[in-house]
Amino acid sequence: MTEPIGPVDASRVPRFAGIATFARLPRIDEVEHADIAVVGVPFDSGVSFRPGARFGPSHVREISRLLRPWNPAQQVAPFGSQQVVDAGDMAVNPFSIDEAVADIEAHARELTANGTRLVTIGGDHTIALPLLRATHAIHGPVAVVHFDAHLDTWDTYFGAPVTHGTPFRRASEEGLIDLTASVHVGTRGPLYAQQDLDDDERLGFVPITSVEIEETGVERAIERLLERIGDAKVYISIDIDVLDPAHAPGTGTPEAGGLTSRELLRILRAMSHLEIVGADVVEVAPAYDHAQMTAVAASHAIYELISAMAPRD
């Protein structure tokens, strides 16, 4: 096996110098094969409140310059045990959701054709649907672990069936997810009616709410999560608004009472033994992000995802 090409050495080139690839990793055109590709999707035409997540990929990449190559929490070198690259951004139509969704799926299928797994930076949560379609083409139905303040299993907004609030309803209806193993983590806040929760259960999700995590603790949440997943293949989708606005103010639909960044990272680390086939981190909106707090949280979440996807001896 060829030794992976890792990040630029921060002891030789200052972190603030050079092109901002994720974690200063090589570009995809600089390697022969990638085990994991970090790719951006600067698209936010599916938002229902504050726009701006189209600028999320570049914002997260910029602060990710600070990441280092050894993860002591997981006892792994995420960039040394596998070839991780930055695949740049997908160029998709900002004026047509349907065309953008088709383009994202096509790009994702192309990037994963030779066994590469994707960790995608959004963009809004609309992008999870085409990413799951591309994942399903390879793996069949997968367990979706969905970190979010919101269910994202609503039906339509203004008659539009594909928005950032509907991707997992469409995914369930299309048979993309494992109905026996999928779960929401960190959901909270007001809903439209009890019917929202009834529909969500029918669509194949079990919620582990922020209130439950507060009352019973993170370790019990992890136990419930792992029991639910079993040995299924896993796709992890993280809306950064799963975090409390104190930890992630830079997002479009913030809700009070969320997880801390420490709690999110702890849960991600607990999934390192699972077969994670893909992931995304979405809804980072830089215009509302004081001192890059949200980008810091998102970059570390991606780092823990890549670490969890690394091979173990």
Side-chain angles (χ1 to χ4, degrees):
M1 172 180 161
T2 304
E3 191 73 17
I5 301 173
V8 173
D9 186 348
S11 68
R12 296 179 179 273
V13 181
R15 299 183 192 282
F16 43 81
I19 297 171
T21 60
F22 184 82
R24 310 185 83 196
L25 287 162
R27 302 188 312 269
I28 195 169
D29 60 341
E30 296 178 308
V31 303
E32 294 182 0
H33 171 75
D35 297 302
I36 295 175
V38 179
V39 61
V41 182
F43 172 85
D44 66 359
S45 300
V47 299
S48 58
F49 193 44
R50 303 193 302 197
R54 67 182 60 184
F55 301 111
S58 59
H59 188 58
V60 173
R61 283 191 181 98
E62 190 62 40
I63 201 65
S64 75
R65 293 170 180 268
L66 191 58
L67 295 170
R68 300 177 181 87
W70 172 249
N71 185 337
Q74 293 201 44
Q75 288 289 295
V76 69
F79 312 132
S81 56
Q82 56 192 344
Q83 183 61 70
V84 188
V85 301
D86 191 317
D89 287 344
M90 298 183 187
V92 299
N93 190 332
F95 301 110
S96 169
I97 292 178
D98 290 342
E99 284 190 25
V101 164
D103 287 343
I104 293 166
E105 181 183 352
H107 285 308
R109 284 177 178 251
E110 181 180 355
L111 285 168
T112 57
N114 294 319
T116 300
R117 291 176 290 173
L118 298 186
V119 177
T120 306
I121 313 173
D124 75 55
H125 225 152
T126 307
I127 72 172
L129 178 59
L131 293 172
L132 282 170
R133 287 172 176 167
T135 301
H136 179 271
I138 299 170
H139 300 285
V142 293
V144 172
V145 179
H146 171 219
F147 292 85
D148 203 321
H150 311 97
L151 300 171
D152 287 1
T153 51
W154 285 292
D155 192 10
T156 63
Y157 282 96
F158 295 90
V162 179
T163 73
H164 77 157
T166 69
F168 300 110
R169 189 184 194 102
R170 302 287 91 84
S172 178
E173 292 169 347
E174 294 178 19
L176 308 181
I177 73 172
D178 185 337
L179 302 182
T180 69
S182 294
V183 59
H184 303 298
V185 181
T187 48
R188 62 189 186 277
L191 299 172
Y192 295 104
Q194 174 62 35
Q195 188 65 41
D196 295 343
L197 294 172
D198 296 340
D199 288 350
D200 191 69
E201 181 180 3
R202 176 178 56 80
L203 292 163
F205 284 93
V206 167
I208 302 174
T209 68
S210 287
V211 171
E212 179 182 337
I213 294 171
E214 178 188 7
E215 292 176 346
T216 65
V218 173
E219 297 309 312
R220 177 54 187 153
I222 289 170
E223 289 175 9
R224 283 200 60 208
L225 175 64
L226 297 181
E227 288 169 4
R228 173 71 174 168
I229 297 169
D231 59 359
K233 294 181 179 180
V234 179
Y235 184 94
I236 300 173
S237 187
I238 303 173
D239 185 326
I240 205 65
D241 74 21
V242 72
L243 300 179
D244 190 88
H247 296 264
T251 192
T253 49
E255 302 279 358
L259 303 186
T260 67
S261 54
R262 182 172 59 238
E263 290 168 336
L264 172 61
L265 299 182
R266 172 68 186 95
I267 297 170
L268 294 178
R269 291 167 187 151
M271 292 190 282
S272 62
H273 66 287
L274 300 176
E275 186 177 355
I276 302 170
V277 297
D280 63 63
V281 177
V282 301
E283 300 282 358
V284 175
Y288 319 109
D289 192 18
H290 318 305
Q292 297 177 291
M293 292 166 57
T294 312
V296 170
S299 67
H300 279 263
I302 294 167
Y303 181 73
E304 295 298 339
L305 286 167
I306 293 171
S307 298
M309 295 164 76
R312 262 58 176 184
D313 294 332

